[in-house]
Amino acid sequence: MTIEEIRNMYLKFFESKGHTIISPAPLVLENDPTTLFTSSGMQPLVPYLLGEVHPSGRRLVDSQPSIRVQDIEEVGDNRHTTFFEMLGNWSLGDYFKKEQLPWIYEFLTEELKLSKDKLYVSIFEGNDAVSRDSESYEIWKSLGVPEDHIYEYGVKKNWWSRSGTPEQMPEGEIGGPDSEIFFDFGTELKLHETSEWKNETCHPNCDCGRFLEIGNSVFIQYKKENGKLVELPQKNVDFGGGLERMAAATIQNPDVFEIKIFKDLITELEMHTQKKYEQNKASFRIIVDHIRAATFLAKAHVVPSNKLQGYVMRRLIRRAVVKARKLSDNAIDPNIFTSLVSEIVDSYPSYFEKDESEKLQGVIFDEVNKFHKTLDKGLKEAEKIKEIDGKIAFDLYQTFGFPLELSIEIFQEKGQKIDGEEFKKAFLEHQNKSRSASAGVFKGGLADHSEEVTRLHTATHLLHAALRKVLGTHVQQKGSNITNERLRFDFVHDSKVTPEQIAEIEQLVNSQIEKDLPVSFEMMTVSEADQKGALHFFDKKYEEQVKVYTVGDPDGEFFSKEVCGGPHVTSLSQLHGRVKITKEEAVSAGVRRIYATIQ
Ligand code: SER
């Protein structure tokens, strides 16, 4: 079965169970400065999971194109991809476990005809706050799943929220216990090497490659409030299943890259490089995955650049170019990429128009060419480097456009490591020297904008912090939009913000400006950011590096600390004025909007 076929079967199946097929959200969400890409089907539906009425009803189904950048380093094995389609179905306070589990089981076994013997499931084992999910256990049993195919795990495996376990969930985040479905490919591909499960007998989560998770029913029924889990007003189901992984299960091949869409790309690549997939699996996988992701990004109007989404796209293309060059003994034919893009466009008639191919090819080709020009020189320079360090890696980035990951890879092959911290330090030093240049990825997506926008961006952080201090910590950002004249900020709050509260918020913000507090940032992992009390609302892995902006003393007393791409002023006097809230209104149930200017 092709992925087009599986996708259609899935949508139709859930339509027959009373679901409305909804259009997927764009890959790059507008007005969501907290995430680079849509990375799960539930992400655009959060307001509805929280209780807002969805225009298409309470049973929804879709297939959501998604990108998980944090998986970029993992691509090369038999199952990780950066871009993937997530099949999703949702109950917004409608049906619950006793409908969801039988339905998805029916889909997998009756529609996709996956063998029941090969399916394993997991349920939440329970903890102090939330009891064992005995209901799901019983449902699976009643469906005929043998007891030795039902596993129980704790919060690390059978709890889902965008930010991880209940402890890791920030205020306002939603989540709940989940029940995962795994396909058994029957071979233990690796001995249990991963540290976490070392010396364990094989089981669905051991990561040896025998089992592949193909679907996850999350029972989103909790929200973090005042540090505790509280029941949401409605019990939701959020199912997400990997389309490509399901396709791999239908051909009983644990290598996702053996499914038709990838196979076709790989054949194309074999033809162009005269090399065989069998002998070069990791490189082939990286190239086809990255170019597929880049093609979808081009479709979403992303252009390779040094900022945010554009930077990710650049990384994907450049990494693919380096791999392709190696396969072709350094004499790469750039047409490889155009033919891959055209194959991708043909393979996805649901997403691409036939006549779009040329335009998308052009976007990717431009970047390939640009990189090509400096690559030869850069690689030659890199050859000469005897001992790499973070500073030199930064020079390679600056002079030849080598993303850090690329240098890491090149030097890894020579058995040398690069200290990422040192690279960042060199980057920051450079940035401090040429603040006005506003270059580079860590500067964030607003780097091109005017000084007004930068000032309003900092004012947004001040307002966010002040809103939480005056109205309470339930306040969290829902959206932000900045023009040269004003800022707009949407946040969770139930009632109108009174004129008195507005005055208090303004006063609080303006007194910080009078104190001329410094604004600075540090790079750290999400989990460090969390420990330091930085605000963040997005789905990122806890190990992922983020930029944390502090207004005040980064190591002492601060007024605001927030994960953000920037840019910001470096001290509050640079705001050149006082912040004034010009308007307050409702956006939707439980979400308010303010407009503010600097006067
Ligand atoms: N939100 C869950 C996930 O991303 C299921 O849709 O895995």
Side-chain angles (χ1 to χ4, degrees):
M1 266 178 269
T2 65
I3 52 176
E4 288 278 318
E5 283 161 354
I6 298 178
R7 186 196 307 117
N8 285 336
M9 275 165 86
Y10 175 80
L11 296 174
K12 288 225 170 68
F13 178 82
F14 277 94
E15 196 178 33
S16 79
K17 308 283 183 204
H19 291 63
T20 305
I21 302 174
I22 55 169
S23 313
L27 206 45
V28 178
L29 285 173
E30 273 163 46
N31 267 338
D32 183 354
T34 58
T35 55
L36 288 181
F37 304 107
T38 302
S39 62
S40 67
M42 65 80 82
Q43 195 178 320
L45 295 172
V46 170
Y48 311 103
L49 293 162
L50 280 165
E52 197 177 311
V53 176
H54 193 284
S56 297
R58 288 150 65 120
R59 294 183 181 194
L60 308 174
V61 61
D62 76 6
S63 182
Q64 176 65 54
S66 309
I67 288 192
R68 289 195 178 167
V69 189
Q70 59 269 40
D71 287 345
I72 202 166
E73 305 297 337
E74 317 247 14
V75 180
D77 68 9
N78 67 345
R79 57 191 178 283
H80 279 95
T81 59
T82 49
F83 172 88
F84 62 100
E85 267 185 76
M86 189 179 255
L87 300 176
N89 64 270
W90 292 272
S91 158
L92 305 172
D94 190 49
Y95 61 84
F96 207 46
K97 298 176 187 176
K98 68 179 193 320
E99 292 84 5
Q100 168 61 18
L101 300 181
W103 282 343
I104 194 64
Y105 195 60
E106 183 187 338
F107 175 72
L108 294 173
T109 57
E110 307 282 323
E111 301 281 316
L112 295 192
K113 306 218 180 306
L114 299 183
S115 157
K116 291 185 177 172
D117 303 346
K118 307 250 185 229
L119 295 179
Y120 283 67
V121 299
S122 65
I123 63 145
F124 180 52
E125 70 182 7
N127 65 6
D128 291 348
V130 176
S131 55
R132 173 180 181 265
D133 189 359
S134 308
E135 194 185 345
S136 293
Y137 188 87
E138 292 306 323
I139 296 170
W140 285 124
K141 257 179 71 177
S142 76
L143 290 168
V145 180
E147 275 178 32
D148 61 358
H149 282 218
I150 310 177
Y151 281 74
E152 305 189 19
Y153 297 97
V155 285
K156 270 172 99 178
K157 291 291 166 191
N158 274 87
W159 183 277
W160 197 89
S161 80
R162 286 175 298 171
S163 22
T165 63
E167 289 71 40
Q168 292 167 333
M169 282 164 65
E171 278 295 296
E173 179 63 294
I174 54 175
D178 62 6
S179 181
E180 299 188 317
I181 306 171
F182 300 83
F183 190 80
D184 178 8
F185 287 99
T187 45
E188 293 182 32
L189 297 177
K190 287 189 275 170
L191 293 171
H192 310 270
E193 318 170 323
T194 55
S195 56
E196 202 183 346
W197 305 107
K198 226 183 222 160
N199 305 325
E200 298 247 348
T201 341
C202 189
H203 59 105
N205 268 316
C206 86
D207 217 18
C208 72
R210 173 179 162 190
F211 294 99
L212 186 63
E213 183 206 328
I214 55 172
N216 183 14
S217 299
V218 188
F219 306 112
I220 298 195
Q221 72 196 95
Y222 296 100
K223 181 179 170 186
K224 191 79 165 274
E225 225 171 70
N226 300 321
K228 287 211 183 71
L229 290 177
V230 297
E231 294 259 355
L232 285 168
Q234 63 184 40
K235 288 181 177 176
N236 307 291
V237 175
D238 157 35
F239 173 81
L243 174 56
E244 292 86 345
R245 290 179 172 203
M246 284 188 197
T250 63
I251 54 166
Q252 301 205 33
N253 191 331
D255 183 356
V256 165
F257 293 88
E258 295 278 350
I259 67 173
K260 189 173 179 319
I261 159 83
F262 285 130
K263 256 247 97 106
D264 290 349
L265 294 172
I266 285 170
T267 310
E268 190 81 26
L269 201 51
E270 282 184 328
M271 213 177 70
H272 277 283
T273 58
Q274 298 293 314
K275 291 276 157 55
K276 286 282 164 218
Y277 174 59
E278 276 306 314
Q279 280 86 50
N280 300 282
K281 284 189 174 168
S283 298
F284 269 75
R285 288 166 177 165
I286 289 171
I287 297 167
V288 298
D289 167 75
H290 287 9
I291 295 303
R292 184 176 66 145
T295 307
F296 273 86
L297 285 173
K299 163 89 185 163
H301 307 293
V302 179
V303 186
S305 73
N306 282 337
K307 286 164 293 185
L308 300 174
Q309 288 91 353
Y311 183 67
V312 173
M313 188 170 178
R314 174 159 279 174
R315 262 172 78 184
L316 290 165
I317 297 174
R318 292 189 170 191
R319 206 156 167 242
V321 171
V322 172
K323 295 289 172 199
R325 262 180 66 106
K326 264 186 101 180
L327 282 178
S328 320
D329 304 322
N330 296 337
I332 188 184
D333 170 6
N335 292 329
I336 291 181
F337 296 98
T338 41
S339 54
L340 287 180
V341 173
S342 115
E343 184 72 42
I344 291 162
V345 169
D346 290 346
S347 306
Y348 284 98
S350 320
Y351 292 118
F352 299 103
E353 310 290 335
K354 268 223 157 301
D355 58 4
E356 246 181 333
S357 187
E358 221 167 287
K359 200 173 108 216
L360 305 178
Q361 285 172 15
V363 178
I364 290 170
F365 194 70
D366 273 359
E367 178 63 17
V368 171
N369 263 350
K370 232 184 245 167
F371 189 42
H372 239 286
K373 284 197 187 127
T374 55
L375 190 63
D376 268 328
K377 265 200 236 149
L379 286 174
K380 272 192 204 122
E381 282 307 309
E383 277 295 306
K384 289 188 218 149
I385 296 167
K386 291 225 162 36
E387 196 121 359
I388 185 83
D389 60 27
K391 223 185 128 309
I392 300 174
F394 176 68
D395 287 342
L396 285 173
Y397 166 73
Q398 250 220 313
T399 322
F400 303 107
F402 282 23
L404 175 61
E405 303 75 26
L406 176 58
S407 298
I408 289 177
E409 262 180 58
I410 296 172
F411 286 91
Q412 214 164 30
E413 283 164 14
K414 302 188 188 177
Q416 291 188 34
K417 271 197 172 147
I418 302 175
D419 183 346
E421 289 302 316
E422 221 174 60
F423 177 91
K424 256 174 263 156
K425 219 177 116 211
F427 189 97
L428 295 182
E429 266 166 23
H430 165 81
Q431 200 176 43
N432 283 337
K433 271 188 228 145
S434 59
R435 280 219 159 260
S436 58
S438 295
V441 62
F442 301 136
K443 265 299 232 182
L446 297 168
D448 281 340
H449 291 221
S450 63
E451 276 179 47
E452 283 76 26
V453 170
T454 304
R455 293 211 298 269
L456 286 163
H457 196 192
T458 306
T460 305
H461 280 217
L462 295 176
L463 281 166
H464 192 183
L467 283 161
R468 287 170 61 91
K469 288 183 211 299
V470 174
L471 303 177
T473 50
H474 60 274
V475 167
Q476 75 171 62
Q477 171 162 342
K478 279 281 158 202
S480 160
N481 173 286
I482 298 171
T483 69
N484 273 337
E485 278 83 38
R486 55 105 184 113
L487 68 87
R488 195 181 80 199
F489 187 70
D490 297 348
F491 57 94
V492 176
H493 185 55
D494 261 330
S495 49
K496 192 175 165 55
V497 188
T498 65
E500 293 75 27
Q501 286 168 330
I502 287 183
E504 202 185 328
I505 291 160
E506 286 176 345
Q507 204 279 326
L508 194 54
V509 167
N510 290 321
S511 63
Q512 309 312 312
I513 299 175
E514 270 153 32
K515 282 190 236 163
D516 190 15
L517 292 179
V519 184
S520 60
F521 74 86
E522 296 164 80
M523 295 293 296
M524 58 184 85
T525 62
V526 174
S527 89
E528 286 162 355
D530 212 34
Q531 276 159 24
K532 293 197 167 190
L535 295 177
H536 64 86
F537 304 101
F538 46 67
D539 61 338
K540 276 204 165 96
K541 273 207 185 155
Y542 260 59
E543 310 80 72
E544 200 172 338
Q545 287 283 329
V546 287
K547 193 172 169 188
V548 173
Y549 272 94
T550 306
V551 179
D553 179 356
D555 301 307
E557 213 185 316
F558 60 81
F559 181 71
S560 144
K561 202 183 262 299
E562 196 168 322
V563 174
C564 171
H568 290 277
V569 300
T570 51
S571 81
L572 292 185
S573 60
Q574 290 165 19
L575 295 184
H576 304 311
R578 296 169 63 79
V579 172
K580 174 138 192 65
I581 297 173
T582 50
K583 193 172 176 189
E584 192 275 344
E585 64 189 20
V587 186
S588 58
V591 181
R592 308 295 301 182
R593 169 171 288 178
I594 52 171
Y595 289 86
T597 56
I598 299 175
Q599 300 187 336

